[in-house]
Amino acid sequence: MTFPVVGMVGGGQLARMTHEAGIPLGIKFKLLSDTPQDSAAQVVSEVVIGDYRDLDTLRSFARGCDVITFDHEHVPTEHLKALEADGIPVRPGPEALVHAQDKGVMRARLDALGVPCPRHRIVSDPEDVVAFADEGDGFPVILKTVRGGYDGKGVWVVRSSKEAAEPFRAGVPVLAEEKVPFTRELAANVVRSPHGQAVAYPVVESIQVDGVCDTVIAPAPDLDADLAARAQEMALRIAAELGVVGHLAVELFEVPGPDGEPRVLVNELAMRPHNSGHWTQDGAITSQFANHVRAVLDLPLGDPRPRAPWTVMANVLGGDYPDMYSAYLHCLARDPQLKIHMYGKDVKPGRKVGHVNTYGDDLADVRERAAHAAGYLRGTITE
Ligand SMILES: Nc1ncnc2c1ncn2[C@@H]1O[C@H](COP(=O)(O)OP(=O)(O)OP(=O)(O)O)[C@@H](O)[C@H]1O
Ligand SMILES: [Mg+2]
């Protein structure tokens, strides 16, 4: 067998779907997962159960892998440097990945590159948060732990020094940001390979509910064409400057500029397949997962263009109703274009357990079909 082995650290749904995308290419996967029940561990044949925070575990896992890549950003940066020193290609490498691991490092680097960001600085205690608020438009202020957050965990909207105490309890440095009065959230997704080839997906709109991604519309409706092109160029430039290999999601806020012209600020970076790119599985010629696999193996990248005028992705969150399979009959019959992607997770209220993609020519219709399916699977829509 001459096919390479991709070592994937983390057993979540991103690993599951990346593995799926490698199957047609005959790529072999080896997975480092916390438990055998994790989403990807259920489907990958070679699974090592272990703790990604332990260097010996990582080292023994990496043996026999041609490249290491990730389902999440939480592997300690120094462990990744140790794997590289052992001669194992780590993609994205630690020098790039640290910008997705640490929001403080990310902000400092983007400032140095002249990339527009929300007003921000590292704060030391609640009084310092008050000082930060006073330097700008006052409260509310956004506080974020620089490491370890996901799905809005690790992000607080605070309105007073009293409310500002909580984020400091984790003992992790805290980043303060102005609360951006954005008109909407966008994402510019790109994929870059080690020898520098890169592709850019259309800029999408991402709609969050309670801090969690709910719906993604591709392309972002009514987005100014110049602004879209500039956002794509900015994402490609960030990928090149940081030396990213694989998928890079640049989460953006669209804001009205001083002259009324819309512009974008960077919220954060993710260096792995991203929820804002799930639509590409069914809506683009080459999915983010397929291009991530190609990139980490330094294969030529695939065409990122959309297949349909509109594709909408809706996340399926757990509701009160554990039996989602019984909803398939109705959902699949109602919309023959619907694609369901389930992660093999137990249904718990509010937990992301899957997503749906659907597409077509009429945006309102496509949105309705996606929202209906996600709501019906969750149990909040009953007919
Ligand atoms: N400076 C800001 N101003 C206004 N809203 C913000 C700001 N920063 C974050 N938010 C809101 O909080 C959400 C989560 O923030 P962020 O993306 O930094 O957190 P995360 O938990 O690391 O990310 P993810 O949800 O992507 O895993 C954003 O998508 C946005 O809706
Ligand atoms: Mg985010």
Side-chain angles (χ1 to χ4, degrees):
M1 284 281 262
T2 57
F3 289 93
V5 179
V6 172
M8 172 69 80
V9 179
Q13 65 265 24
L14 301 176
R16 179 177 170 118
M17 293 184 279
T18 306
H19 165 256
E20 178 189 3
I23 292 171
L25 295 173
I27 307 302
K28 293 197 286 179
F29 261 76
K30 193 174 159 186
L31 187 75
L32 179 62
S33 184
D34 292 342
T35 78
Q37 289 79 39
D38 285 8
S39 180
Q42 297 171 21
V43 297
V44 174
S45 60
E46 200 180 347
V47 182
V48 173
I49 303 302
D51 185 350
Y52 61 82
R53 291 164 298 195
D54 178 62
L55 181 56
D56 290 338
T57 302
L58 282 170
R59 279 204 160 114
S60 89
F61 169 74
R63 231 169 280 133
C65 295
D66 293 284
V67 58
I68 298 292
T69 190
F70 311 94
D71 169 82
H72 59 69
E73 275 119 14
H74 306 315
V75 182
T77 320
E78 60 276 12
H79 290 1
L80 300 177
K81 289 186 177 159
L83 291 182
E84 273 195 329
D86 292 348
I88 314 245
V90 175
R91 294 174 173 166
E95 307 294 340
L97 192 64
V98 68
H99 300 92
Q101 295 181 312
D102 187 312
K103 293 183 206 255
V105 174
M106 179 264 295
R107 283 279 177 253
R109 185 64 184 273
L110 294 181
D111 285 348
L113 292 174
V115 170
C117 291
R119 189 176 74 84
H120 62 90
R121 75 173 166 79
I122 297 289
V123 284
S124 50
D125 52 37
E127 290 80 76
D128 200 17
V129 177
V130 176
F132 175 83
D134 290 344
E135 288 156 22
D137 297 330
F139 285 103
V141 161
I142 305 276
L143 297 182
K144 303 180 177 184
T145 51
V146 296
R147 279 185 181 252
Y150 66 98
D151 281 351
K153 295 174 185 67
V155 177
W156 292 262
V157 184
V158 300
R159 290 178 182 78
S160 64
S161 71
K162 195 160 159 269
E163 282 182 18
E166 173 69 22
F168 293 94
R169 293 207 177 103
V172 178
V174 176
L175 177 73
E177 293 181 355
E178 66 172 307
K179 185 168 187 296
V180 176
F182 55 78
T183 41
R184 58 178 169 171
E185 293 187 71
L186 304 171
N189 290 333
V190 298
V191 184
R192 184 173 174 277
S193 69
H195 74 260
Q197 191 195 2
V199 294
Y201 287 100
V203 175
V204 298
E205 176 172 348
S206 116
I207 300 162
Q208 336 290 320
V209 175
D210 300 330
V212 180
C213 176
D214 180 80
T215 302
V216 171
I217 305 172
D222 302 318
L223 180 61
D224 178 80
D226 284 342
L227 184 60
R230 276 186 278 125
Q232 287 177 310
E233 279 163 16
M234 185 169 78
L236 289 168
R237 181 168 160 250
I238 292 169
E241 293 279 357
L242 271 48
V244 177
V245 171
H247 189 265
L248 168 72
V250 181
E251 296 181 6
L252 300 166
F253 297 131
E254 185 178 359
V255 290
D259 48 3
E261 288 290 297
R263 55 192 200 105
V264 292
L265 304 176
V266 172
N267 174 28
E268 63 162 350
L269 309 177
M271 291 178 201
R272 48 169 171 77
H274 190 257
N275 206 162
S276 66
H278 288 359
W279 70 274
T280 62
Q281 285 175 304
D282 304 298
I285 294 170
T286 317
S287 77
Q288 62 164 350
F289 301 103
N291 265 335
H292 186 78
V293 170
R294 293 187 192 202
V296 301
L297 292 168
D298 207 6
L299 291 169
L301 301 178
D303 192 336
R305 283 178 301 170
R307 290 176 184 270
W310 299 104
T311 303
V312 174
M313 189 267 350
N315 276 332
V316 178
L317 302 187
D320 299 330
Y321 189 56
D323 177 17
M324 289 207 179
Y325 182 69
S326 67
Y328 279 23
L329 188 64
H330 175 75
C331 289
L332 296 174
R334 185 179 191 268
D335 180 4
Q337 276 144 328
L338 187 75
K339 301 296 166 78
I340 299 177
H341 299 265
M342 281 293 166
Y343 307 153
K345 292 181 173 180
D346 286 338
V347 172
K348 289 185 193 150
R351 186 184 199 193
K352 269 187 209 171
V353 294
H355 67 271
V356 297
N357 289 327
T358 193
Y359 41 87
D361 300 330
D362 178 64
L363 178 57
D365 170 60
V366 179
R367 277 193 81 164
E368 190 281 330
R369 285 189 274 123
H372 179 278
Y376 196 88
L377 287 160
R378 186 176 186 172
T380 49
I381 294 175
T382 52
E383 57 190 63

